[in-house]
Amino acid sequence: MGYTLNFSAVWRSFDLLLQGLALSLGLAVMGIAIGCVIGLVTAFGLLSKNALLRRPAQLYVTIIRNTPILVLILFAYFALPQMGVRLGKIESFVATLAVYSGAYLAEIFRGGLLAVPRGLKEAGLAIGLRQSQIRNTIVIPLMLRNVLPSLSSTLISLFKDTSLAAAIAVPELTFEARKINVESFRVIETWIITSLLYVATCTVLAALLRRLEKRMSIPR
Amino acid sequence: MTNLLEIRDLHKRYGDVEVLKGVDCAMAQGDVISIIGSSGSGKTTMLRCINMLEDFEGGTIRIDGEEIGYDTAGGRRRRKKEKEIARQRAMTGMAFQQFNLFPHMTAAHNVMLGLVKVKGMGRDEARGLAEKWLDRVGLAERRDRYPGQLSGGQQQRVAIARAIAMNPKLMLFDEVTSALDPELVNEVLQVIKDLAADGMSMLLVTHEMRFAYEVSTRVIFMNQGRIGEEGNPREMFVKPQTERLAEFLMNSTFN
């Protein structure tokens, strides 16, 4: 085959790719940040003795984890407006990612909460701390340390899931790449560069998380 | 004068198993009482009812005349509100078999946490008090170490400092030397002896018979959810009145 690689078309539009990447990161940070809050609340719900809290939490996790994220994205963007919930593309995607990541993070947080020894809560009670103080100063900080190693692979996979926002024309990295591909017909070059941008970002993300893990580790 | 601690007809069950079958006990200011007995006799459960780590179904516990954990009005018994129970828990201090230090905080921070969050003390004042108590248990130089960097005996001494710093009316010790290597037991017992000498009121669940003999003003022998025998250690250990206690003492080591 007589194909010669020519990256000049991609370089000309490189700014667009970088803008797309910036938006991808923005979507991930917003979605996952909200997802963490949802996940934390849900994790406590999953562990609650009260069935009125536990059942809805279980239902939420089950439904979300058994639905492909692409279906959720399309549902939020096309079906919800029919039901009276109108969101812009970006808001719609961030909300979907938040709800989606919340279900996965809830399961991770639940495991981390279970690993906090009961005796530590009792020690907190014994000095007169209230439940909420024990949760905030003892249980959550220890849970986060427990889950950090497994959290990083989930966070990276959630970041990569932002590429699915292309399906509803959110101008993130994958969407911009497709535009360049269509306009320049430089198929191989475009997708090579795009892939490399994802790989580079994920590598940096992983390194940052490893550093955080190290910094938060308890000296012994 | 009202008793510091007064337990009347305490009943506690786990499902179908009744672990406390009516325990009565009174304790005056400055008393050091050791609770001995075989495992499953209810001694730890009794201790844990006093600071409401366990709910109980019947009887009353009073500290300084104040009813712990429950309100009885018009014949109905209600568990007190969480906030009220937390306040009552702070009247006692507790040290645990497994130390239960907060692993993500230094020794000093472990001691400071309750002072700041429960007593509302400023950080500097709390820090000063934490250092004073860590010094008292012989750990002044280790105050910035994390629990994982301390030996078992050192961890237990930090845990005692954490409880004592809260200035409790009564200290509860739940088998505090059972998880320690033999050579680390004495450093912890010495700390408890010093506290006894200072006049601290203490209730100790222990398997250290010699220590119970030396430090206690009174000994309670628990047997199958009831108090089997109680009295002065010098009399009880030498002349047990019941066969069960005689048997128990025979099988215990005095080292």
Side-chain angles (χ1 to χ4, degrees), chain A residues 129-179:
Chain A
L129 292 175
R130 280 175 280 118
Q131 298 280 3
S132 57
Q133 294 175 316
I134 292 171
R135 192 183 58 224
N136 297 341
T137 58
I138 300 163
V139 176
I140 293 179
L142 289 173
M143 177 277 280
L144 287 176
R145 287 172 172 85
N146 289 338
V147 301
L148 217 47
S150 56
L151 204 57
S152 91
S153 66
T154 304
L155 292 182
I156 284 168
S157 117
L158 288 168
F159 165 68
K160 288 186 297 175
D161 288 340
T162 58
S163 74
L164 292 164
I168 55 172
V170 174
E172 46 67 64
L173 179 53
T174 302
F175 183 81
E176 295 295 1
R178 206 165 55 176
K179 229 165 57 186

Side-chain angles (χ1 to χ4, degrees), chain A residues 52-70:
Chain A
L52 285 175
L53 299 174
R54 193 178 63 245
R55 296 266 179 234
Q58 287 169 337
L59 189 68
Y60 158 66
V61 171
T62 308
I63 290 177
I64 298 303
R65 297 219 307 170
N66 292 306
T67 311
I69 183 170
L70 185 56

Side-chain angles (χ1 to χ4, degrees), chain A residues 117-133 137-139 141-142 145 218-220, chain B residues 48 51 53 82-83 86 89-90 92 94 96 100-105 113-114 117-118 146 148-149 162 166:
Chain A
R118 202 183 128 86
L120 299 185
K121 292 172 223 170
E122 291 184 347
L125 291 175
I127 55 175
L129 292 175
R130 280 175 280 118
Q131 298 280 3
S132 57
Q133 294 175 316
T137 58
I138 300 163
V139 176
L142 289 173
R145 287 172 172 85
I218 299 164
R220 52 177 59 251
Chain B
R48 289 166 58 89
N51 64 355
L53 286 184
E82 164 75 16
K83 199 176 153 192
R89 282 191 180 115
T92 58
M94 189 176 216
F96 299 84
N100 295 343
L101 289 180
F102 309 128
H104 58 311
M105 298 179 191
L113 185 66
K117 299 272 177 190
V118 177
Y146 286 82
Q149 300 171 315
R162 174 176 71 180
M166 295 296 288

Side-chain angles (χ1 to χ4, degrees), chain A residues 102-114:
Chain A
Y104 283 86
L105 294 169
E107 277 296 314
I108 294 177
F109 291 160
R110 188 183 74 94
L113 288 173
L114 282 175

Side-chain angles (χ1 to χ4, degrees), chain B residues 18-30:
Chain B
E18 193 170 27
V19 279
L20 295 176
K21 302 170 185 169
V23 172
D24 294 273
C25 165
M27 179 178 181
Q29 183 72 45

